[in-house]
C-alpha cells in the first residue's frame, strides 16, 4: 500500500478517487491550498501526487516546478488528472504521467501501480548509486591516505595524514587525536570544520584524558598537553553541544602498546560502512607509526655513534699533536746533556739518560702509530699511489734495517723474483708495512737468527684457497705479488694468529714491553694493506718461527681506474665535494680516433685530481674520465662543448658519443658500488644506450 | 756573528734551541708569538728564522707567506717546525714557501745541521 496525495477542490473527484484507491488498499490524503500541500509532503512523504487539472485554487505548473527543483521532493511521482477533451501539454512537461477523465477504473489503477513500482525501483537504484559513489570515494581516500602514510616517517605528520583522510572520507564536524610520545610530549591535534570555543577545547582535553585514562601507561596532567588546532571554515563555532553529535572512537596501538586515541564527531549519524572506513584508516596508521618510531631510534643512535666516533678521532689527533711538543723538549734536553755540552757525563748518568731517551723514542713511535690508526679509521689518510716494482721497496727497507739487525747478530737475506709485474702502491706506506714486519722479525728473533724476505708471483686462486681468510672481498685481481718475511724466532700460537691484527689486542703485553713498540704496528699494516686492496696473513710455529705474508694486486688499468675512483670518492665524501664522471664510446676506424683527439686537444677540462682510462673492445673504444670538485656550471658547459666537438667532427669520425655524464655527490650516500654499477652498465652497452644524469 | 730569530710559543723549546745555537756561535733573538715574531723578522734583520707552525695570533704559515712574498725579506731562509706528518707538510710547504721542515719531535742535531747548511 502506498500513500497518495490528491490535490483538488472538487469533492466529486475526491469521492471517485477514494473509492478506487481504498478498494486497492491505498491511503488517500487530500489538500487544496499550496502551504497545506507542502506541509503534507513534508510530514507524510507521499509516493504519488495526483493533480486535478481543473483545480482553480493553485498554479499547478509553478508547484510542479517547485517540487522538481527541491532535493527532498524531486523524486516524488506526479500524475495529472485531466479531461480527455482538453489536454494541456505544458503541464505534461513537468509531470511524470497523466490519467484522462472520465476514469476508466482499470486504466487508472494500472497507471497508478506502475508508477508506484517505478518510483520504488528508482528510489532503490538511486540509493544504491549513492552508496556506491560514497564507497568509491572512501576507497579513494583510503588509497591516497595509505600512499601518503607510506611516504612519511614523522609521527605527528602521520597522525595528521590520518585525520585528513578521516575528514575527507567521513565529512566530519570535528576530529581529535591525542598522542602520547613521552611523558612530557603529549599532543592533542584537533581538526574541525568551524573554530571551537575555549570551553569545548578544555572539555575535549578532559574527555581525552579522563575517558580513556585506564589505557594510559603514564599519568599526564591537563597542562602537559600541547594543543594543535586546525579549522576549515572561519564562520561559525562549535560549543559543548558538539558532544550531542554521533561519535566514533578508537585507540591507536603500536606493537600492542597504547600510543594514543582518536575520536571523531559528525552531526549526521555514522553508517556501518563509515565505521568500517574509520577503523581501517586508524589501523593503517599503526604500521607506519611503528616504522617512524624505529626510524627515530635508529637515527638517534646513529647520530650518537657518529659523534662518538668523531670525538674519538679528534681526541686521538689532538692528544698526539699536543704530546709531541713536550716530547721534543725532553728529547732535546737529553741530547744536550748526553753530548756533554753542559758538562761531563759519568757512566751511570749516561746509562740512565740513554734509558730516558730510548723511552722518549718509544713514546713518540706510539704517538705516530696512534695518529696513523686514527687517520685510517676516520678515512683521512691520504695515499699517493704509483706503479712500482716492489723489489725496490724491499731492498730499501732491508738497507735501512741492516745495521740494526747486525747489532743483534741477525742476517737478512733477500730472494727477489726479478720478473715481477708492477704494483700500484703508496711506496712510503708500503715501506712502513715492510719496516714493521722486518723489525718485528728482528725483535722476536734470538741471536744468530736469520730473516728471509722472498718476493714471488701468486694467482687469484691462491688467495681464494687461503684458509686464513674467512671473508674475501667480492672483486679480486687475477694476479698478486707476494712478499714473505720469514724468521726463526719465538713464533705465534695458532689461536693468536688473527688477534695480532686487531688493535689493542696484543697477545702478551710483556713481550711488547720488552721489545719496545706500540703494539699497533700489525693492525696498522692490516689497514694499510686493505687500502691497497691487498692481504696480510701469517703462518707460524711456536719456537720455530713465523712467516708473515703480504699480497699486493697486480692491477689492470681498469682496476687502477676504479681503485682511484674509490679513493677519491672517500675523499669527496669527507670534503663534501662532487665528482664529475664522463664516459665516451666510439666505433674504431683505423688510423682515426676522435677520443684520442679529444684527449690530445684537452677538450675535456680536468681539475687537479682526475683519472682517465680507455680500452678497446669488440671494435669499440671506450673512454672514462672522472675529475674531482668541478663547478656544476663549468661541468654543464664542458659537456655541451664536448657534444659540439663530436658533432662538428662527425663527418670525419663516425659514431662517437657521450655514453654517460654526471656530476655525483658522494656525500648523498653514493658509494663506489653504485657508481661502478652505473659505469659498468654502459661498458657492455652500445652507443644507443646512453644516459645522462642531472 | 750570524743572527737567528726563533719564534715559538713554547718557552722550553726556545730555551733549548737558543742554548744549542749559542754554543755553536750564533746570536739568537726570540719571540713568543706570531705577531712579535713577524715584527722582529722585519725589524731585527735576522739571517735565518726558525718558525713554529702552531702559534697564537699569527700562525707560522702566515708569517712565512708574508715574508716570502715580500721582496725585502724573501731571501731570509725559514725553517718551519711542525707537529704534522711529513706528507701533510710537503703539501702545505709548497704553498707557504718555507725552505726547510722539521717535524716534532725533532733531534737537536738535525736543527743545528740545517742552520749550518744555510749560515755556515
Amino acid at each position: 500500500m502506498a500513500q497518495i496525495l490528491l490535490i483538488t477542490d472538487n469533492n466529486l473527484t475526491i469521492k471517485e478517487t477514494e473509492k478506487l484507491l481504498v478498494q486497492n488498499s491505498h491511503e488517500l490524503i487530500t489538500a487544496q491550498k499550496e502551504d497545506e500541500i507542502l506541509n503534507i509532503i513534508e510530514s507524510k512523504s507521499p509516493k504519488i501526487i495526483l493533480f486535478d487539472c481543473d483545480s482553480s485554487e493553485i498554479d499547478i505548473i509553478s508547484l510542479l516546478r517547485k517540487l522538481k527543483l527541491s532535493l527532498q521532493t524531486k523524486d516524488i511521482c506526479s500524475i495529472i488528472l485531466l479531461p480527455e477533451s482538453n489536454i494541456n501539454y505544458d503541464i505534461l512537461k513537468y509531470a511524470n504521467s497523466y490519467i484522462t477523465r472520465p476514469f476508466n477504473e482499470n486504466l487508472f489503477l494500472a497507471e497508478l501501480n506502475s508508477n508506484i513500482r517505478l518510483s520504488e525501483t528508482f528510489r532503490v537504484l538511486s540509493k544504491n548509486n549513492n552508496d556506491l559513489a560514497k564507497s568509491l570515494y572512501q576507497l579513494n581516500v583510503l588509497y591516497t591516505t595509505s600512499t601518503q602514510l607510506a611516504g612519511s616517517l614523522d609521527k605527528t605528520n602521520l597522525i595528521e595524514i590520518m585525520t585528513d583522510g578521516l575528514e575527507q572520507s567521513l565529512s566530519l564536524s570535528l576530529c581529535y587525536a591525542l598522542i602520547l610520545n613521552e611523558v612530557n610530549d603529549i599532543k592533542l591535534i584537533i581538526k574541525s570544520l568551524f573554530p571551537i570555543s575555549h570551553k569545548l577545547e578544555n572539555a575535549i582535553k578532559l574527555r581525552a584524558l579522563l575517558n580513556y585514562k585506564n589505557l594510559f601507561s603514564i599519568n599526564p596532567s591537563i597542562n602537559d598537553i600541547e594543543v594543535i588546532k586546525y579549522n576549515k571554515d572561519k564562520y561559525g563555532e562549535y560549543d559543548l553541544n558538539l558532544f550531542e553529535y554521533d561519535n566514533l572512537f578508537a585507540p591507536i596501538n603500536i606493537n600492542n602498546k597504547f600510543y594514543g586515541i582518536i575520536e571523531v564527531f559528525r552531526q549526521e549519524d555514522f553508517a556501518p560502512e563509515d565505521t568500517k572506513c574509520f577503523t581501517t584508516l586508524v589501523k593503517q596508521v599503526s604500521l607506519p607509526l611503528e616504522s617512524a618510531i624505529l626510524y627515530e631510534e635508529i637515527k638517534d643512535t646513529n647520530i650518537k655513534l657518529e659523534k662518538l666516533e668523531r670525538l674519538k678521532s679528534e681526541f686521538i689527533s689532538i692528544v698526539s699533536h699536543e704530546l709531541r711538543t713536550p716530547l721534543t723538549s725532553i728529547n732535546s734536553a737529553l741530547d744536550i746533556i748526553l753530548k756533554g755540552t753542559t758538562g761531563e757525563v759519568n757512566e751511570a748518568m749516561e746509562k740512565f739518560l740513554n734509558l730516558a731517551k730510548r723511552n722518549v723514542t718509544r713514546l713518540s713511535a706510539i704517538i705516530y702509530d696512534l695518529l696513523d690508526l686514527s687517520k685510517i679509521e676516520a678515512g683521512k689518510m691520504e695515499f699517493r699511489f704509483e706503479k712500482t716494482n716492489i723489489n725496490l721497496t724491499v731492498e730499501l727497507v732491508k738497507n735501512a734495517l741492516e745495521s740494526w739487525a747486525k747489532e743483534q747478530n741477525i742476517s737478512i737475506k733477500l730472494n727477489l723474483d726479478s720478473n715481477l709485474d708492477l704494483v700500484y702502491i703508496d711506496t712510503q706506506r708500503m715501506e712502513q708495512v715492510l719496516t714493521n714486519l722486518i723489525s718485528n722479525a728482528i725483535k722476536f728473533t734470538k741471536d744468530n737468527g736469520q730473516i728471509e724476505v722472498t718476493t714471488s708471483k701468486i694467482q687469484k686462486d691462491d688467495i681464494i684457497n687461503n684458509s686464513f681468510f674467512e671473508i674475501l672481498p667480492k672483486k679480486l685481481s687475477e694476479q698478486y705479488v707476494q712478499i714473505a718475511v720469514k724468521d726463526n724466532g719465538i713464533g705465534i700460537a695458532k689461536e693468536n694468529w688473527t688477534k695480532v691484527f686487531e688493535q689493542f689486542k696484543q697477545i702478551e703485553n710483556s713481550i711488547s714491553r720488552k721489545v719496545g713498540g706500540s703494539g699497533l704496528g700489525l693492525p696498522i699494516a692490516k689497514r694499510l694493506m686493505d687500502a691497497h686492496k691487498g692481504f696480510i696473513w701469517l703462518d707460524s710455529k711456536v719456537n720455530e718461527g713465523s712467516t708473515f705474508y703480504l699480497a699486493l694486486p697486480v692491477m689492470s688499468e681498469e682496476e687502477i681506474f676504479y681503485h682511484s675512483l674509490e679513493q677519491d670518492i672517500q675523499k669527496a665524501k669527507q670534503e663534501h665535494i662532487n665528482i664529475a664522471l664522463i664516459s665516451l664510446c666510439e666505433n674504431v676506424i683505423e688510423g682515426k680516433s676522435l677520443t684520442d683527439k679529444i684527449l690530445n686537444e684537452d677538450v675535456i677540462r680536468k681539475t687537479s685530481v682526475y683519472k682517465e682510462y680507455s680500452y678497446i673492445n669488440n671494435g669499440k673504444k671506450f673512454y672514462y674520465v672522472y675529475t674531482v670538485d668541478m663547478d656544476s656550471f663549468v661541468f654543464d658547459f664542458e659537456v655541451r662543448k664536448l657534444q659540439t666537438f663530436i658533432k662538428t667532427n662527425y663527418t670525419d669520425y663516425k659514431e662517437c658519443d657521450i655514453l654517460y655524464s654526471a656530476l655525483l655527490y658522494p656525500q648523498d650516500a653514493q658509494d663506489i658500488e653504485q657508481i661502478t654499477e652505473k659505469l659498468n652498465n654502459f661498458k657492455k652497452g652500445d652507443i644507443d644506450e646512453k644516459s645522462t644524469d642531472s | 756573528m750570524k743572527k737567528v730569530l726563533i719564534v715559538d710559543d713554547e718557552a722550553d723549546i726556545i730555551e733549548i734551541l737558543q742554548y744549542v745555537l749559542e754554543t755553536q756561535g750564533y746570536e739568537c733573538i726570540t719571540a713568543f708569538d706570531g705577531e712579535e715574531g713577524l715584527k722582529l723578522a722585519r725589524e731585527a734583520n735576522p739571517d735565518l728564522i726558525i718558525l713554529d707552525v702552531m702559534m697564537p695570533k699569527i700562525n707560522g704559515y702566515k708569517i712565512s707567506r708574508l715574508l716570502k712574498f715580500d721582496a725585502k725579506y724573501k731571501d731570509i731562509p725559514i725553517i718551519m717546525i711542525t707537529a704534522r706528518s711529513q706528507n701533510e707538510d710537503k703539501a702545505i710547504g709548497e704553498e707557504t714557501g718555507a725552505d726547510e721542515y722539521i717535524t716534532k719531535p725533532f733531534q737537536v742535531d738535525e736543527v743545528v745541521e740545517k742552520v749550518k747548511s744555510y749560515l755556515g
Side-chain angles (χ1 to χ4, degrees):
Chain A
M1 95 159 225
Q3 280 181 328
I4 292 156
L5 175 63
L6 171 65
I7 297 163
T8 181
D9 48 5
N10 187 333
N11 278 334
L12 191 73
T13 316
I14 295 177
K15 257 191 194 152
E16 258 184 309
T17 324
E18 194 167 29
K19 201 178 111 203
L20 274 170
L21 293 183
V22 172
Q23 272 173 9
N24 287 281
S25 58
H26 291 301
E27 190 189 333
L28 182 74
I29 315 153
T30 59
Q32 281 183 22
K33 297 198 175 71
E34 193 175 321
D35 45 348
E36 198 185 353
I37 296 163
L38 292 175
N39 269 337
I40 289 171
I41 290 174
E42 200 179 316
S43 60
K44 305 230 167 169
S45 48
K47 287 237 166 71
I48 300 214
I49 305 174
L50 299 169
F51 290 87
D52 183 0
C53 207
D54 294 336
S55 195
S56 55
E57 295 247 346
I58 50 164
D59 177 354
I60 295 179
I61 293 188
S62 88
L63 183 61
L64 273 169
R65 280 173 84 168
K66 206 182 267 172
L67 291 177
K68 288 291 165 204
L69 283 174
S70 157
L71 213 70
Q72 279 84 37
T73 55
K74 74 175 173 46
D75 293 338
I76 301 175
C77 174
S78 44
I79 300 173
I80 315 288
L81 307 174
L82 74 178
E84 202 172 10
S85 54
N86 179 21
I87 293 176
N88 181 343
Y89 289 98
D90 272 352
I91 293 179
L92 289 185
K93 266 192 246 167
Y94 299 96
N96 293 66
S97 177
Y98 68 94
I99 297 170
T100 50
R101 286 161 65 172
F103 300 140
N104 170 316
E105 202 174 312
N106 286 334
L107 255 171
F108 183 95
L109 282 176
E111 188 67 39
L112 205 61
N113 284 333
S114 82
N115 269 299
I116 288 170
R117 270 200 305 277
L118 207 70
S119 88
E120 183 59 23
T121 319
F122 186 71
R123 196 185 57 79
V124 172
L125 265 176
S126 88
K127 189 184 169 289
N128 282 349
N129 216 5
N130 266 341
D131 288 354
L132 260 175
K134 209 169 128 195
S135 305
L136 196 69
Y137 180 66
Q138 284 183 350
L139 264 175
N140 216 343
V141 173
L142 267 173
Y143 174 73
T144 18
T145 310
S146 59
T147 327
Q148 278 177 323
L149 284 175
S152 176
L153 278 172
D154 180 84
K155 285 184 287 184
T156 316
N157 190 14
L158 284 169
I159 296 288
E160 286 187 9
I161 292 171
M162 179 187 66
T163 51
D164 279 347
L166 286 172
E167 216 171 18
Q168 278 177 39
S169 55
L170 302 175
S171 4
L172 300 171
S173 307
L174 184 140
C175 157
Y176 75 80
L178 182 78
I179 314 159
L180 296 103
N181 286 324
E182 270 163 58
V183 188
N184 50 6
D185 184 9
I186 300 169
K187 285 199 176 86
L188 179 66
I189 300 172
I190 306 176
K191 285 193 170 172
S192 55
L193 181 60
F194 299 127
I196 56 170
S197 70
H198 189 64
K199 257 192 209 162
L200 181 62
E201 185 182 320
N202 278 334
I204 290 175
K205 272 193 205 172
L206 272 174
R207 184 185 173 99
L209 276 193
L210 296 179
N211 278 10
Y212 312 108
K213 205 170 182 175
N214 53 335
L215 290 171
F216 298 171
S217 54
I218 48 175
N219 196 4
S221 104
I222 195 156
N223 300 320
D224 295 337
I225 301 179
E226 185 195 336
V227 181
I228 305 163
K229 283 187 286 187
Y230 301 94
N231 53 274
K232 271 189 187 161
D233 210 328
K234 267 193 263 178
Y235 309 102
E237 188 183 64
Y238 286 125
D239 204 355
L240 291 179
N241 57 1
L242 178 99
F243 293 132
E244 289 161 16
Y245 291 2
D246 198 10
N247 70 327
L248 290 172
F249 157 81
I252 303 167
N253 290 319
I254 299 170
N255 271 344
N256 297 325
K257 255 178 76 190
F258 180 75
Y259 178 67
I261 50 166
I262 179 147
E263 190 169 11
V264 295
F265 294 88
R266 192 169 79 176
Q267 196 160 15
E268 201 187 318
D269 284 358
F270 288 109
E273 304 91 69
D274 296 335
T275 320
K276 219 170 165 185
C277 173
F278 174 73
T279 43
T280 315
L281 259 170
V282 175
K283 266 186 210 152
Q284 269 193 348
V285 82
S286 296
L287 206 67
L289 266 178
E290 206 177 295
S291 334
I293 288 168
L294 262 173
Y295 174 73
E296 263 173 33
E297 279 169 11
I298 291 168
K299 217 166 72 178
D300 276 3
T301 326
N302 254 353
I303 290 169
K304 274 184 208 150
L305 273 175
E306 259 171 37
K307 206 173 152 191
L308 212 68
E309 194 58 31
R310 210 174 48 238
L311 272 176
K312 192 184 114 194
S313 264
E314 270 170 22
F315 175 77
I316 292 177
S317 156
I318 289 168
V319 165
S320 333
H321 277 134
E322 287 302 312
L323 282 172
R324 285 185 192 188
T325 308
L327 267 178
T328 309
S329 298
I330 298 169
N331 198 35
S332 309
L334 289 170
D335 273 350
I336 292 168
I337 302 170
L338 270 166
K339 266 198 172 160
T341 345
T342 50
E344 206 186 320
V345 182
N346 69 34
E347 208 175 308
M349 280 159 90
E350 195 181 337
K351 183 180 154 194
F352 288 110
L353 285 170
N354 271 325
L355 182 146
K357 209 172 141 51
R358 261 203 317 278
N359 279 286
V360 168
T361 315
R362 193 177 141 207
L363 198 54
S364 56
I366 294 174
I367 292 166
Y368 273 116
D369 283 355
L370 271 176
L371 204 63
D372 272 355
L373 207 58
S374 75
K375 258 196 232 156
I376 300 174
E377 280 192 348
K380 279 184 187 158
M381 180 164 274
E382 284 189 22
F383 292 96
R384 293 166 180 224
F385 287 97
E386 56 189 328
K387 278 188 171 180
T388 319
N389 186 335
I390 196 70
N391 288 343
L392 295 176
T393 317
V394 173
E395 275 168 358
L396 202 98
V397 174
K398 184 222 169 194
N399 292 340
L401 293 173
E402 197 148 39
S403 59
W404 178 38
K406 259 188 192 146
E407 281 171 28
Q408 323 275 319
N409 278 326
I410 293 168
S411 66
I412 304 175
K413 200 181 147 201
L414 299 185
N415 300 314
L416 304 180
D417 181 341
S418 54
N419 284 321
L420 289 181
D421 290 301
L422 300 184
V423 283
Y424 192 64
I425 56 169
D426 178 328
T427 44
Q428 214 179 340
R429 292 296 169 192
M430 210 37 70
E431 275 167 29
Q432 188 182 343
V433 173
L434 278 166
T435 307
N436 183 271
L437 292 188
I438 298 175
S439 55
N440 272 351
I442 297 173
K443 280 179 205 162
F444 293 108
T445 305
K446 291 160 221 138
D447 263 10
N448 297 318
Q450 198 185 43
I451 295 165
E452 224 178 291
V453 185
T454 314
T455 57
S456 58
K457 277 185 233 174
I458 60 168
Q459 306 299 318
K460 186 183 185 175
D461 285 346
D462 297 324
I463 298 287
I464 294 172
N465 299 328
N466 190 331
S467 60
F468 195 87
F469 308 116
E470 281 169 14
I471 314 155
L472 283 170
K474 271 184 231 153
K475 277 185 188 159
L476 291 172
S477 296
E478 290 303 318
Q479 280 200 17
Y480 287 81
V481 166
Q482 178 183 281
I483 307 119
V485 179
K486 186 173 182 248
D487 67 45
N488 51 5
I490 56 168
I492 300 164
K494 196 166 185 178
E495 66 262 28
N496 291 323
W497 284 5
T498 49
K499 272 189 206 160
V500 297
F501 299 114
E502 290 166 38
Q503 66 202 70
F504 306 120
K505 263 202 186 170
Q506 250 190 347
I507 354 168
E508 227 180 302
N509 267 320
S510 57
I511 295 174
S512 88
R513 241 176 269 137
K514 209 165 71 192
V515 297
S518 64
L520 291 171
L522 287 173
I524 291 172
K526 163 95 173 67
R527 277 145 208 267
L528 290 175
M529 289 311 288
D530 286 346
H532 280 81
K533 297 251 178 288
F535 298 92
I536 183 168
W537 71 98
L538 71 94
D539 192 8
S540 180
K541 246 186 189 162
V542 176
N543 292 327
E544 284 182 24
S546 315
T547 310
F548 277 84
Y549 295 93
L550 300 175
L552 286 165
V554 178
M555 291 192 194
S556 64
E557 284 304 312
E558 184 184 8
E559 281 171 314
I560 288 176
F561 177 78
Y562 284 116
H563 179 67
S564 312
L565 182 59
E566 187 178 345
Q567 296 282 326
D568 285 322
I569 282 172
Q570 211 178 54
K571 216 172 121 191
K573 258 185 191 168
Q574 293 272 338
E575 293 171 12
H576 287 253
I577 50 177
N578 63 43
I579 289 183
L581 259 173
I582 292 177
S583 111
L584 289 169
C585 174
E586 74 172 323
N587 285 332
V588 179
I589 295 162
E590 216 175 311
K592 290 177 179 177
S593 164
L594 187 59
T595 41
D596 284 352
K597 197 171 172 184
I598 287 170
L599 302 188
N600 294 338
E601 294 180 15
D602 272 338
V603 179
I604 298 174
R605 186 192 305 210
K606 291 152 201 149
T607 56
S608 58
V609 182
Y610 77 96
K611 190 103 199 160
E612 52 198 359
Y613 158 61
S614 66
Y615 69 99
I616 294 174
N617 183 29
N618 230 348
K620 288 194 171 75
K621 181 166 181 177
F622 292 84
Y623 168 76
Y624 298 90
V625 63
Y626 74 80
T627 171
V628 176
D629 195 15
M630 190 176 243
D631 185 86
S632 62
F633 181 77
V634 175
F635 179 72
D636 286 343
F637 176 75
E638 289 303 311
V639 172
R640 242 170 268 142
K641 196 173 76 182
L642 192 60
Q643 280 165 343
T644 321
F645 187 84
I646 293 169
K647 265 184 204 155
T648 49
N649 285 280
Y650 204 64
T651 42
D652 288 43
Y653 304 89
K654 254 192 180 174
E655 290 174 341
C656 175
D657 209 347
I658 301 174
L659 281 186
Y660 181 81
S661 71
L663 214 49
L664 305 165
Y665 293 84
Q667 60 266 34
D668 301 336
Q670 295 231 33
D671 54 25
I672 179 73
E673 273 93 22
Q674 283 171 288
I675 295 167
T676 320
E677 199 186 2
K678 267 186 185 156
L679 282 179
N680 275 334
N681 279 345
F682 304 108
K683 187 176 148 185
K684 298 178 204 94
D686 214 49
I687 291 179
D688 305 328
E689 300 169 34
K690 56 182 175 172
S691 147
T692 297
D693 280 13
S694 54
Chain B
M1 212 193 303
K2 298 274 186 182
K3 201 193 281 174
V4 178
L5 167 63
I6 308 167
V7 190
D8 200 319
D9 60 330
E10 280 282 326
D12 287 349
I13 302 265
I14 288 199
E15 210 168 318
I16 287 165
L17 290 176
Q18 190 170 5
Y19 178 87
V20 175
L21 291 173
E22 279 175 359
T23 56
Q24 295 292 322
Y26 297 107
E27 184 196 342
C28 290
I29 46 171
T30 60
F32 291 89
D33 64 55
E35 207 172 62
E36 202 190 337
L38 189 62
K39 196 172 156 238
L40 283 178
R42 284 173 173 159
E43 292 168 7
N45 292 322
D47 297 295
L48 184 142
I49 304 169
I50 298 177
L51 198 53
D52 186 40
V53 172
M54 310 263 222
M55 277 186 302
K57 291 183 190 170
I58 308 175
N59 71 33
Y61 292 133
K62 210 163 179 183
I63 297 177
S64 168
R65 213 173 314 147
L66 284 170
L67 294 174
K68 286 293 175 188
F69 286 93
D70 190 328
K72 253 161 103 183
Y73 311 106
K74 71 175 170 49
D75 294 330
I76 308 175
I78 294 179
I79 299 176
M80 290 272 249
I81 297 175
T82 82
R84 296 180 188 236
S85 72
Q86 286 167 323
N87 261 353
E88 284 164 293
D89 270 350
K90 275 179 197 156
I92 303 166
E94 281 157 21
E95 280 175 43
T96 54
D99 301 270
E100 287 285 350
Y101 286 87
I102 290 174
T103 17
K104 282 180 189 173
F106 56 77
Q107 306 284 322
V108 192
D109 289 351
E110 198 186 344
V111 185
V112 174
E113 265 170 43
K114 289 206 163 138
V115 172
K116 270 187 181 162
S117 73
Y118 283 97
L119 302 182

